[in-house]
Amino acid sequence: MLTSRLNRLSPYMFMAPAAVIMAIALIYPLGYMIWGSFRDWDPSQTIGEAEFVGLKNYITLWGDPNFHESLGVTLRFAFICVIVEMIIGVGLALLLDRDIRGMSLLRTMFILPMMIAPVVVGLMWRYMYHPTVGTFNRTLEWLGLPDVDWLGQHALMSVIIADIWQWTPFIFILSLAALQSLPRSALEAARIDGATAWQQILYIKLPLMMPVLIVTALLRLIDAFKVLEVILVLTEGGPGLSTEILALRISRTATEFRELGVAAAMSNYLLILLMLLTVAMIGFTKWQEARAAKLRMANEEDS
Amino acid sequence: MPQIRLERMVKRYGAVEVLHGIDLEMQDNEFTVLVGPSGCGKSTTLRMIAGLEDVSSGEIYVDGKPVKHLEPKDRDLAMVFQDYALYPHMNVAQNISFALRLQKRPKSEIDAKVRDVAGMVGLTDFLGRKPGALSGGQRQRVAMARALAKDSGIFLFDEPLSNLDAKLRGQMRAELALMSQRVEKNMIYVTHDQIEAMTLADRIVVMHGGYIQQQGTPEELFKRPVNKFVAGFLGMPPMNFLDGRIEDKGGALFVTGDGFSLRLSPEKAAIARMAQNPDVILGIRPSDLSYAPEAAPETALTLKVMVSEYIGAQSVLMCQCGGQSVTVEMNSETPMALGETLQFEANAARIHLFDKTSEQAI
């Protein structure tokens, strides 16, 4: 009697440590944040002492032009990065999906940027972007071209370039894997049917890679909304608010402006945005599974 | 329809040569079957004709024009693949019309063509389906229809039936035979299945080890194989081979081996006399042995029946002749007990002799 009960409990016992850690590290802070977002909360107070203000923080943010600016920067940053990364990553994969001597070395080199810690990436690019001693401007000078004020006038473009450099490899390796798992014979059939290399890409390869590409793009988008370190090191959000993405603004609101409640509300806005993306991603995979199941059903009815 | 000629065609992968100078000519409107065990080079030959593999040396001529350097799309051919190779994201109609749409043919013409070939292979009701929602046989039909729609002169098949179950394979084989009579094309068909080769081919090309062993009509190859490999490869159950020696007994020639001594017919004897090596392999098909208790000993084999495989009207007997095994195909009605030793008469006209060392027919 007792042993059978213990047996039934054993899965839960094994899961318990993970559940406890989840509760402490994720659910407790999340609850704390939601709770805090309804209060006018200064870091010197405990949460109990803070005054309850209802939805005031959310409403303030809704009308705050700086928050709008920051949200706009975040959206611009995320979408431009992901679109450019997708184009370059998929393009590279299409180019490098062949047997050339030294290709494995080349592929390894391509994915190196992804392995470097973000802070190091930030520092590296900050040196390269330096107005006088940076690699870029010295190269431009050597070529006899005018200097570019990378982190000043073109700050957003500069951080976007750094992000593209770091994350294109991610899309590259996933696209390459997708490409290499395509049915070889379908591509051969397309060659016999008269498709040129370009038509093969357009009509066969890209449509067949699409499910992987959509999930990859959504994953990257979710990631791009949360980026912090590289921009923090490169520009600290400046000049002005030109590169102040949401993650950075949240951290500054909490530490510099000492408005924990507002920072928490802002985090929740970001969370809602990310949740929408995640739901879209899960919805897409569910839809695909459902379609596959429907196809199987139709198949079985026939046979 | 174009005539295809392969001239000293060689395929090398690095240092390994897998095809050793293939010479082959395929006539107008001919159904040629390349057949052989896996790794014999038959698929490579087909893929080289298609342009999917490079030719290491030699040349391919279509209607007298060299085509080795041409892309597959410029060779006027259509191909059916073993795994169908359908485009999974397109429906049946789009699959069939892909080549025509690339050629930018007018829409009305494409629609008419799709309806036409879909009707031919019985797919009219499935034009809107994606390949994932079709059964194996239907997918194979789509592949066939797609190749037909292209209107090219050369039709290549790479083991098109091997992914189907036995019943469907038989049905599709019959449909293919019917189709090959209706459409006038030069067809080249690769298979490892000798039954497909025998039933479909105008001409069979037997390949082994990167060489062509023999080519000819199915009947020629079945009746007059040039070597032991071809003899053993065609025919089911396969031909029996027994080690023996040619001996002269009072003017008549005999093949004598462990547990048997058969007298050769005068025609066979005349040929056998010219053989330099008296050591031979006797070849006899299971269907050329018949149960004959009263036959003269010099025309028959004495066999011990070990196993009987009942397959309906016919039974296949696994027997022992001395230390060698022999299979016999016979009517199931004949009463037979396992372990018995019985006499089977060999059809003297259908005995094959092969040189023991070169394995060439004598």
Side-chain angles (χ1 to χ4, degrees), chain B residues 29-219:
Chain B
N29 245 328
E30 199 175 35
F31 200 118
T32 309
V33 175
L34 306 180
V35 66
S38 30
C40 73
K42 56 189 190 300
S43 274
T44 310
T45 305
L46 190 82
R47 291 171 59 82
M48 283 161 90
I49 296 172
L52 296 172
E53 297 273 352
D54 295 330
V55 178
S56 304
S57 80
E59 186 54 89
I60 302 168
Y61 295 94
V62 174
D63 276 344
K65 286 191 286 285
V67 299
K68 184 167 89 172
H69 57 282
L70 291 182
E71 277 287 301
K73 65 188 171 70
D74 301 320
R75 295 193 186 192
D76 182 33
L77 45 83
M79 185 160 169
V80 177
F81 292 81
Q82 176 174 359
D83 60 355
Y84 323 127
L86 301 178
Y87 311 123
H89 56 297
M90 300 183 194
N91 66 27
V92 172
Q94 288 165 331
N95 261 286
I96 295 175
S97 62
F98 186 60
L100 302 176
R101 284 185 285 138
L102 288 178
Q103 291 167 16
K104 303 242 181 328
R105 302 264 192 98
K107 194 169 179 324
S108 55
E109 185 195 327
I110 293 178
D111 288 346
K113 189 83 205 174
V114 168
R115 266 199 311 279
D116 188 28
V117 293
M120 252 169 110
V121 296
L123 278 173
T124 313
D125 296 338
F126 300 97
L127 286 176
R129 291 255 188 113
K130 293 259 176 78
L134 297 174
S135 68
Q138 288 166 337
R139 285 182 214 181
Q140 188 55 292
R141 281 167 219 264
V142 179
M144 220 84 92
R146 183 174 65 183
L148 278 171
K150 254 195 95 185
D151 264 338
S152 39
I154 305 169
F155 222 103
L156 307 177
F157 298 89
D158 189 6
E159 309 222 14
L161 305 184
S162 34
N163 280 12
L164 302 177
D165 61 58
K167 192 177 160 202
L168 205 53
R169 200 180 310 153
Q171 188 188 335
M172 292 297 284
R173 202 166 59 213
E175 285 182 27
L176 252 174
L178 208 68
M179 192 187 85
S180 75
Q181 287 165 14
R182 267 188 308 184
V183 296
E184 303 211 324
K185 285 177 194 295
N186 199 336
M187 308 212 187
I188 308 176
Y189 188 105
V190 161
T191 180
H192 62 267
D193 179 0
Q194 51 98 17
I195 296 179
E196 273 171 41
M198 298 293 272
T199 50
L200 289 171
D202 293 323
R203 181 155 52 141
I204 295 182
V205 178
V206 179
M207 295 182 71
H208 182 48
Y211 292 99
I212 291 179
Q213 302 290 323
Q214 189 178 3
Q215 48 175 309
T217 64
E219 198 185 353

Side-chain angles (χ1 to χ4, degrees), chain B residues 230-257:
Chain B
V230 176
F233 192 76
L234 298 178
M236 198 70 215
M239 188 185 274
N240 295 302
F241 295 111
L242 295 167
D243 286 336
R245 217 181 141 73
I246 297 179
E247 286 173 357
D248 194 331
K249 290 183 186 166
L253 282 194
F254 281 74
V255 192
T256 312

Side-chain angles (χ1 to χ4, degrees), chain A residues 207 211 284-298, chain B residues 88-89 130 132-133:
Chain A
F284 175 73
T285 39
K286 277 263 160 64
W287 172 73
Q288 266 194 321
E289 279 165 18
R291 203 175 56 152
K294 211 176 81 189
L295 282 179
R296 268 198 306 276
M297 291 274 285
Chain B
H89 56 297
K130 293 259 176 78

